Amino acid sequence: MDDSSRFVARHVQGLPKSGIRDFFAIVSQMRDAISLGIGEPDFITPYAIRDAAIQALEKGKTSYTDNRGLKSLRDAISGYVEQNYRVSYNPETEIVTTIGVSEALDMVLRAVLNPGDKVLYHEPCYVSYSPSIKLCHAEAIAVQTSAREKFALTATALRAAWQPGCKALLLNFPTNPTGGTASRELLAEIAAFAQEKDLLVLSDEIYSELTFDGAHTSIASLPGMRERTIFLHGFSKAFAMTGFRVGYACGPAGVIDALLKIHQYAIMCAPIASQEAAVEALLHGRDAMLHMRDKYRERRDLIVRRFNELGLPCHLPRGAFYAFPDISPTGLDSLSFAQQLLQAQKVAMVPGTAFGPGGAGFCRASFSTSYENIIQAGDRIGRFLDARQKTTA
Ligand code: PLP
């Protein structure tokens, strides 16, 4: 009998497992299922980037690197962020290479939070935010965004959710799962709020290159914000490099130094071959990245049109690769819709509630799948809705 769970810390026992993974473990066993589920690119990493990793291994580059990451990579990150986000970071003191945004976020939370501190974040959101905060013995304070306001985060909502003890604000634009993003004006309001309340801002910019309409603005680039923002970014989404596990955190040296202490004891460094591949992505990967972005845009337009034709109202996501249709016209809740659709037509979507209670009445459909799959999925969802109408009529 395994009763080892008695050794597990209370705050870890209390954490839910990610519902998405369980759901998709079932989908992966199903024949002919179409998955609009998992949040990773369906593209294989562009060849030149893979080749950079292969060449690194060929040359015998198999060692640890500097804890902060290869100097060549930090130089490339510094140049890339300055050129594309208009914020400049010193590669010697203000940049750390990490195991994806996942590690960067975990390290910065661990570096800044004392037990009982509070962190504001907007929901619906990426599934790891609240657990990552709770793992630091801190309190996660969700700011609900609503369909009525196109899931935009407003300074008014932030102000209403704020409580004494709030130390940090975690932002993600464009947002997983809604595809919403923040205009410069909105960011300026949020920035003014962060300054007024003396909050450290953690800005998860992982989908920023995948902005389809207009330019992406990082809150770090607004006046007075560089000093209080940790810019978190990586290669997983825009460069289709999820398996390389590489990302980075940029920010003022005081916080980056603290983060580095934890990183050097817990992780040491990101894998050297992945770092070499990341240098290639930053220096020469732009065309490949733009090509993938254009494909996502075509698929976005198709899937959103299809959902609306089917009577499931769907706003146009301005970034990332997720559509977030309103499934409430079916009379089903998010989980029942996802379960019944999967059973009846073998199309997998993620219940909106997996991303927080604000996702009730919605499901997430990832369009990082082929155009053909999206057409087929649309047909199957149409059949599912027809059959439901017949049985409920
Ligand atoms: N942040 C968001 C908003 C995400 O959606 C994801 C992955 O889905 C991550 C971070 C994790 O990124 P990485 O692969 O860089 O750890």
Side-chain angles (χ1 to χ4, degrees):
M1 190 187 73
D2 179 359
D3 58 356
S4 60
S5 61
R6 71 186 189 285
F7 295 119
V8 175
R10 273 191 302 278
H11 71 300
V12 178
Q13 274 176 6
L15 286 184
K17 272 210 227 152
S18 166
I20 304 189
R21 296 278 151 196
D22 290 352
F23 197 65
F24 285 97
I26 302 170
V27 177
S28 66
Q29 303 300 321
M30 265 185 168
R31 281 185 51 206
D32 307 328
I34 300 178
S35 177
L36 305 178
I38 291 287
E40 72 175 310
D42 61 317
F43 295 102
I44 297 172
T45 312
Y47 184 72
I49 300 175
R50 280 184 276 152
D51 193 41
I54 294 166
Q55 293 309 318
L57 295 174
E58 286 281 359
K59 288 182 191 143
K61 294 192 181 180
T62 55
S63 62
Y64 294 133
T65 69
D66 187 301
N67 293 142
R68 290 178 192 270
L70 291 169
K71 175 68 166 48
S72 55
L73 177 54
R74 283 179 282 134
D75 285 343
I77 291 169
S78 177
Y80 185 83
V81 173
E82 179 149 18
Q83 189 178 353
N84 295 293
Y85 301 87
R86 311 256 166 251
V87 209
S88 116
Y89 292 105
N90 182 339
E92 301 287 353
T93 54
E94 296 183 317
I95 298 174
V96 180
T97 310
T98 58
I99 310 290
V101 170
S102 303
E103 192 226 336
L105 177 65
D106 183 43
M107 295 292 143
V108 70
L109 289 170
R110 289 211 256 163
V112 304
L113 294 176
N114 290 308
D117 283 343
K118 295 173 184 168
V119 181
L120 290 160
Y121 67 102
H122 50 115
E123 256 186 15
C125 69
Y126 178 46
V127 291
S128 87
Y129 290 165
S130 167
S132 300
I133 296 164
K134 288 180 183 156
L135 280 170
C136 297
H137 301 274
E139 216 179 305
I141 310 284
V143 184
Q144 293 302 333
T145 62
S146 70
R148 230 178 325 109
E149 291 171 332
K150 298 203 170 104
F151 295 105
L153 175 65
T154 61
T156 316
L158 271 175
R159 199 169 288 283
W162 182 87
Q163 309 172 8
C166 283
K167 185 169 193 178
L169 167 63
L170 172 49
L171 301 174
N172 171 226
F173 301 121
T175 307
N176 173 9
T178 64
T181 194
S183 65
R184 203 182 174 83
E185 295 68 43
L186 201 69
L187 285 176
E189 281 178 33
I190 296 170
F193 173 78
Q195 290 175 17
E196 178 194 323
K197 300 293 187 195
D198 194 22
L199 298 172
L200 177 73
V201 174
L202 316 181
S203 186
D204 178 347
E205 315 249 352
I206 191 143
Y207 293 104
S208 53
E209 290 96 338
L210 303 180
T211 297
F212 304 118
D213 311 303
H216 171 81
T217 303
S218 170
I219 194 163
S221 69
L222 299 188
M225 290 308 291
R226 185 190 177 287
E227 300 72 27
R228 62 171 65 251
T229 302
I230 309 298
F231 178 97
L232 306 167
H233 201 2
F235 299 84
S236 291
K237 311 293 173 167
F239 294 102
M241 290 174 67
T242 48
F244 283 83
R245 307 308 303 125
V246 57
Y248 50 95
C250 307
V255 175
I256 293 297
D257 262 356
L259 183 159
L260 187 67
K261 278 194 213 167
I262 310 173
H263 174 78
Q264 73 189 13
Y265 293 128
I267 306 289
M268 304 253 266
C269 63
I272 187 167
S274 297
Q275 292 193 45
E276 292 284 1
V279 173
E280 171 65 24
L282 293 180
L283 298 185
H284 308 293
R286 190 159 180 82
D287 286 351
M289 185 271 284
L290 291 177
H291 170 75
M292 292 187 274
R293 185 181 70 187
D294 288 347
K295 292 284 165 206
Y296 290 130
R297 187 191 281 110
E298 283 172 17
R299 297 159 176 192
R300 172 197 72 159
D301 292 348
L302 172 68
I303 201 165
V304 168
R305 193 170 64 241
R306 226 32 209 114
F307 278 128
N308 283 309
E309 283 167 3
L310 290 167
L312 302 178
C314 186
H315 63 271
L316 196 66
R318 290 188 47 215
F321 38 58
Y322 309 109
F324 205 54
D326 177 356
I327 54 84
S328 62
T330 61
L332 294 170
D333 63 52
S334 304
L335 184 62
S336 309
F337 179 90
Q339 284 172 335
Q340 292 184 26
L341 176 64
L342 183 62
Q343 257 168 16
Q345 291 292 337
K346 295 190 180 173
V347 174
M349 286 167 60
V350 185
T353 40
F355 309 97
F362 291 78
C363 279
R364 189 188 79 175
S366 165
F367 45 87
S368 77
T369 186
S370 68
Y371 208 77
E372 295 68 34
N373 270 352
I374 295 173
I375 293 175
Q376 263 205 46
D379 293 347
R380 292 188 191 189
I381 296 168
R383 285 199 285 277
F384 172 71
L385 296 174
D386 284 349
R388 248 194 86 69
Q389 242 178 10
K390 282 189 193 123
T391 52
T392 52

